[in-house]
Amino acid sequence: MFKTRAVAFFNVRALPCDSVANVLTRQSGGAVRLDFCAVALALTFVSTGTIAQAYPVRPIRIVTAPVGAGNDFMARIIAQGLTASLGQQLVVDNRPAGILGELVAKAPADGYTLLAVGSVLWLTPFLQDNVAYDPVKDFSPIAVTSKSVNLLVVHPALAANSVKDLIAIAKTKPGQFNYATGGTGSSNHLAGELFKSMAGVNLVRIPYKGAGPAVNDLLSGQVQIMFPTTASALQHVKSGRLRTLGVTSLKPTVLAPGLPTVAESGLPGYESIVIYGLFAPAKTPPAIVKRLNAELVPFLKSEATTERLLNAGVEPVASTPDELATTMASEMSRLGKLIKEARIRAQ
């Protein structure tokens, strides 16, 4: 009888170990006294070690955005690398972007459902109401996997050859220049709003259904300014159809060799990048998070993976879980304030 009850109490995680020890002592009538905390600690150590050694024993699902997006690309890269190193198949599960966070937040915290997603995970709560997850409380960070940057580009007809030129011209003609963006809250949209805020200029936003149509209108001169990704605009810069004034990363990037940053070209402190991360549901055992990070980091840093990512316009990062958590907190503070002050709301 005592043995059966003891097992039951081991499963009640909410009770402090001292309280459970007292209950067990009363149950035994004083005949048996257990150093319950020591036993619990030993069992936890054995359990954690066992989890790390046994995991994974079945396929792992990586939930991500629809096929073709940057999140999908990173998810497939990760799936390929971890399938080889973990010895279990990682399957990419493409879902509508709007349900990714909620879906994974509610999944079992056993390491068999992961989320490959970008900055939208922690920025969405600032863009819309009633988001069904908390980006901090509902997820266990695994790693910043990669990042991408945008370019500040202008149509050649605009007489601005530097960031300083653009700011000066825009201040003399407030509201007379426009900038193209994709969807509300997209990287090119937030990059433009951050530029307006920090430079103190009035540029008119012209929204498009996607970055592709926006770039096309920029090329034709229908709009004058844009903050597209390197992948979508660098070829047009090289051909002379667009003029770039700088990259949106705080430091020069290998994604756009030789180009100055916006920060060093006239707007100190300016930075707008897209960050991609890998997450598990909250309360996933730390041993599993550690294992996934330990397998992912060397894969992302390998020469073959680095080359593949750079060719796609993405720079590998391969951080620790704590670094991803810190990055999220910083971005939420900085860009959350921008979104609120600019009154940006998702459609």
Side-chain angles (χ1 to χ4, degrees):
M1 176 66 71
F2 175 77
K3 184 175 182 180
T4 301
R5 290 178 181 174
V7 171
F9 277 116
F10 270 105
N11 290 329
V12 183
R13 297 181 181 179
L15 292 176
C17 63
D18 287 342
S19 300
V20 178
N22 290 335
V23 173
L24 289 178
T25 300
R26 292 197 300 271
Q27 292 283 347
S28 68
V32 178
R33 298 189 62 83
L34 296 176
D35 188 345
F36 187 81
C37 292
V39 173
L41 180 61
L43 288 177
T44 299
F45 178 79
V46 172
S47 174
T48 300
T50 301
I51 289 173
Q53 293 174 8
Y55 174 85
V57 295
R58 55 186 170 86
I60 299 169
R61 177 175 63 144
I62 302 183
V63 177
T64 194
V67 175
N71 292 319
D72 173 60
F73 171 76
M74 281 308 307
R76 294 180 185 280
I77 293 285
I78 293 166
Q80 179 184 11
L82 293 190
T83 292
S85 64
L86 291 174
Q88 287 289 343
Q89 184 70 41
L90 272 76
V91 180
V92 175
D93 184 2
N94 298 102
R95 296 299 185 97
I99 68 169
L100 299 180
E102 179 181 4
L103 181 65
V104 176
K106 294 180 178 179
D110 56 8
Y112 291 96
T113 300
L114 306 178
L115 174 63
V117 69
S119 308
V120 65
L121 178 72
W122 53 88
L123 294 182
T124 293
F126 296 101
L127 293 165
Q128 60 189 59
D129 298 323
N130 302 317
V131 175
Y133 65 85
D134 185 302
V136 176
K137 296 179 180 179
D138 290 339
F139 302 95
S140 294
I142 297 173
V144 177
T145 57
S146 59
K147 64 182 180 181
S148 64
V149 304
N150 296 74
L151 302 176
L152 168 51
V153 297
V154 299
H155 189 272
L158 184 62
N161 294 303
S162 69
V163 172
K164 289 182 179 180
D165 286 347
L166 178 60
I167 294 173
I169 293 172
K171 285 186 174 180
T172 60
K173 298 180 179 180
Q176 295 187 35
F177 298 107
N178 51 44
Y179 76 103
T181 79
T184 300
S186 61
S187 66
N188 49 63
H189 179 202
L190 294 182
E193 290 298 322
L194 183 62
F195 183 86
K196 287 171 56 180
S197 175
M198 293 183 66
V201 296
N202 179 12
L203 303 177
V204 179
R205 180 196 175 203
I206 308 297
Y208 292 80
K209 292 184 177 180
V215 171
N216 288 337
D217 269 11
L218 179 64
L219 290 169
S220 66
Q222 299 298 311
V223 290
Q224 294 94 34
I225 306 162
M226 190 176 173
F227 294 80
T229 62
T230 56
S232 62
L234 202 54
Q235 58 179 326
H236 302 303
V237 171
K238 292 178 179 179
S239 70
R241 298 184 68 190
L242 296 176
R243 180 188 304 126
T244 182
L245 306 184
V247 296
T248 61
S249 53
L250 191 60
K251 298 179 180 179
T253 173
V254 294
L255 296 174
L259 293 182
T261 66
V262 172
E264 67 187 3
S265 302
L267 199 56
Y270 179 89
E271 180 182 28
S272 182
I273 61 176
V274 178
I275 299 163
Y276 297 97
L278 185 66
F279 298 83
K283 299 182 181 180
T284 297
I288 289 179
V289 172
K290 183 177 180 180
R291 173 79 188 281
L292 288 167
N293 182 271
E295 300 291 349
L296 181 61
V297 167
F299 168 71
L300 290 174
K301 289 185 175 180
S302 69
E303 184 177 347
T305 304
T306 296
E307 182 179 1
R308 186 175 178 185
L309 292 178
L310 293 178
N311 287 338
V314 183
E315 185 176 347
V317 177
S319 80
T320 66
D322 285 346
E323 287 169 339
L324 173 52
T326 299
T327 297
M328 284 178 57
S330 174
E331 290 290 287
M332 289 174 70
S333 175
R334 186 172 67 96
L335 295 180
K337 179 182 178 182
L338 171 73
I339 291 169
K340 289 179 180 179
E341 290 179 347
R343 299 180 180 180
I344 302 172
R345 305 297 294 170
Q347 302 299 320

